[in-house]
Amino acid sequence: MWQISDAELLDAATAAETRLRQAYAESVHLLSELDNRGVATKIGYSNTPALLMHTLRISRADARHRLAQANDLHPTTTPTGSVIDPVLPQTSQALARGEVGSEHVDVIRKTLADLPHLDTEQRATAEQVMLDRAAEDDPKALTRFATRVRDIVDPDGPPPTDDEPKRPERMLRRHIRRDGTLEFKGHLDLESAQLFENLLKPFEKPHPEGNDTRGYAERAGDAFADVLKMAAHSPDLPTHNGVRTEVAVTITYQELQHALDNAVLTDNTSLTARDARRLACDARIIPAVLGTDSQPLDVAVPAYTTPAHIRRALVLRDRGCSFPACDRPSNVCDSHHVLEWRKGGPTKLKNLALLCQHHHRLIHHSDWQAEMVNGRPQFIPPAYVDPSRTPRRNHIHGPLPRTA
């Protein structure tokens, strides 16, 4: 092959792909005929996929996939002997010419299956529109284009039926598990869905440290939690019976004082003492402290651990999460006591640092250490991150620019 030019090599690869598609079209046509004749049952197999698994040495999933395509691309024969026309005759011809591949066929099948209300003429038009795009687009791009097919072929959509109940534009179903975690599902109208996406996208990016092992779903879940935290910090948050939402944590005095992982309860939900101390850094809590016989020693008046005026100063100073390289904004951050309040750390600006939920948890649960130097927080990495344990600061937010 070294003797042929780059252009000739590319032409040869394109011609080989065309032959491959044509061969696949022939294979699918043969499988359609095998299935219509009932060859599998005639020779003792339960169905055609079981036969293909042995003869073609393919998986059952692959066999079913090819037969599903064959049924849409070619005529099928019912048990009574009647013949049903192919669902996608134009796609069948394009595949036989090698103009589209198996993945293109899947996209076209799914697109038309999602438009069951189209009449025969509209279906033919939609199929041809998809084939025109497939001549230029890869299957992924064709999938994106498929969302526009309905607007092109049938912009008015199906007429609503009088007896069909109207689906709510917004709906949310939620279920609290026994361990206190929440399951939910629902749907939003177009405007709310766009707002939801726009709120989540800035927070679901991987952590800038470069060692983020979370999958997309986990990052989206953390982003949703950040949005909830941002809403909780909003001054316009609605009240319930005149007060903001609050959580009552019940814990023994000894567990609160010492770094123990014993279980505590908040509304009958398990919570570790370590988590309770993290929440106490910046939450509206009602501490109910118990004695040795589980007798209440004190139920305090609810109060913000960090007063509003101090938090405002903290936001002006840190401008966001103060952990190195974190770009999370201040409205999703907690106020962290650098010297823990249980060890006498004051709730003062010189002892506080803004931390997002991810890094707040990291500071409480790992060997990272925080310290205040010249009135600003800095962080000492564990030895397995940096053997020299050189202190680090956040340089993303930076100090506010000076005004003249």
Side-chain angles (χ1 to χ4, degrees):
M1 289 190 179
W2 62 272
Q3 294 178 322
I4 64 176
S5 67
D6 293 347
E8 291 172 330
L9 184 62
L10 184 58
D11 289 342
T14 303
E17 177 63 23
T18 300
R19 293 193 300 272
L20 187 65
R21 293 173 176 180
Q22 291 172 329
Y24 181 76
E26 180 184 5
S27 172
V28 169
H29 194 180
L30 293 172
L31 296 186
S32 173
E33 186 65 20
L34 274 171
D35 196 44
N36 283 330
R37 292 189 187 184
V39 172
T41 55
K42 289 179 183 178
I43 59 178
Y45 282 85
S46 58
N47 51 49
T48 304
L51 172 63
L52 298 182
M53 290 173 64
H54 280 175
T55 55
L56 305 185
R57 299 184 301 281
I58 59 178
S59 68
R60 183 179 295 275
D62 192 9
R64 288 176 173 172
H65 173 245
R66 297 188 193 187
L67 283 173
Q69 288 189 341
N71 289 336
D72 280 354
L73 296 176
H74 299 282
T76 56
T77 304
T78 66
T80 61
S82 60
V83 178
I84 302 176
D85 291 335
V87 177
L88 302 172
Q90 299 175 88
T91 305
S92 177
Q93 296 168 12
L95 181 63
R97 294 191 296 267
E99 297 172 358
V100 297
S102 174
E103 289 183 277
H104 289 107
V105 174
D106 285 336
V107 176
I108 296 172
R109 289 178 63 229
K110 183 180 185 306
T111 300
L112 293 185
D114 290 340
L115 301 172
H117 68 280
L118 298 183
D119 58 31
T120 303
E121 183 178 351
Q122 289 174 324
R123 289 184 65 83
T125 302
E127 183 181 6
Q128 186 57 57
V129 168
M130 292 290 290
L131 287 171
D132 290 343
R133 292 308 312 166
E136 301 178 8
D137 291 345
D138 63 86
K140 188 173 182 179
L142 185 63
T143 300
R144 293 193 295 268
F145 173 77
T147 60
R148 300 178 52 201
V149 170
R150 171 177 290 177
D151 296 334
I152 296 173
V153 178
D154 184 23
D156 295 332
T161 58
D162 294 336
D163 56 346
E164 182 179 355
K166 183 179 179 181
R167 182 184 184 186
E169 291 186 347
R170 296 180 291 273
M171 186 171 63
L172 177 66
R173 292 190 178 97
R174 61 188 187 273
H175 169 67
I176 302 292
R177 294 175 171 178
R178 289 188 177 183
D179 61 358
T181 58
L182 175 69
E183 277 187 346
F184 58 89
K185 65 180 296 186
H187 62 262
L188 298 172
D189 61 274
L190 181 61
E191 182 180 354
S192 300
Q194 190 63 47
L195 176 62
F196 184 78
E197 284 293 311
N198 291 340
L199 285 172
L200 249 62
K201 282 188 181 299
F203 298 114
E204 61 185 5
K205 298 180 295 184
H207 291 305
E209 294 98 315
N211 59 350
D212 194 343
T213 59
R214 300 174 301 164
Y216 173 76
E218 188 177 355
R219 294 203 314 271
D222 289 344
F224 188 47
D226 281 343
V227 170
L228 291 177
K229 188 176 292 292
M230 182 173 62
H233 287 152
S234 169
D236 298 325
L237 182 70
T239 61
H240 177 69
N241 292 336
V243 297
R244 295 289 180 89
T245 303
E246 55 194 20
V247 176
V249 177
T250 307
I251 185 170
T252 67
Y253 182 74
Q254 289 76 16
E255 288 169 345
L256 197 59
Q257 285 289 324
H258 301 289
L260 302 178
D261 279 334
N262 296 341
V264 297
L265 296 177
T266 168
D267 194 21
N268 295 325
T269 301
S270 294
L271 185 71
T272 66
R274 179 179 296 175
D275 285 336
R277 288 190 298 274
R278 176 176 56 81
L279 290 175
C281 272
D282 185 31
R284 183 172 174 83
I285 61 169
I286 305 173
V289 183
L290 305 181
T292 55
D293 298 325
S294 296
Q295 296 297 319
L297 297 180
D298 181 43
V299 178
V301 175
Y304 281 100
T305 303
T306 304
H309 69 284
I310 293 182
R311 181 175 176 87
R312 284 194 292 270
L314 188 58
V315 169
L316 286 173
R317 188 195 69 193
D318 292 348
R319 304 182 64 199
C321 179
S322 58
F323 194 86
C326 183
D327 62 355
R328 293 294 191 265
S330 60
N331 53 7
V332 297
C333 292
D334 300 331
S335 300
H336 169 69
H337 285 73
V338 175
L339 175 61
E340 296 179 58
W341 61 268
R342 68 186 180 89
K343 295 181 179 178
T347 305
K348 295 182 179 180
L349 188 61
K350 64 180 182 181
N351 188 48
L352 295 173
L354 284 182
L355 288 176
C356 68
Q357 187 175 24
H358 170 72
H359 290 119
H360 198 180
R361 190 179 302 275
L362 183 70
I363 288 296
H364 278 270
H365 291 245
S366 73
D367 293 330
W368 278 87
Q369 296 175 4
E371 62 180 7
M372 299 296 294
V373 177
N374 297 326
R376 302 187 68 87
Q378 67 178 22
F379 299 84
I380 303 173
Y384 55 79
V385 173
D386 178 10
S388 67
R389 304 202 70 189
T390 302
R392 304 179 182 184
R393 292 184 185 272
N394 187 314
H395 299 290
I396 292 179
H397 303 295
L400 286 170
R402 294 182 180 274
T403 57

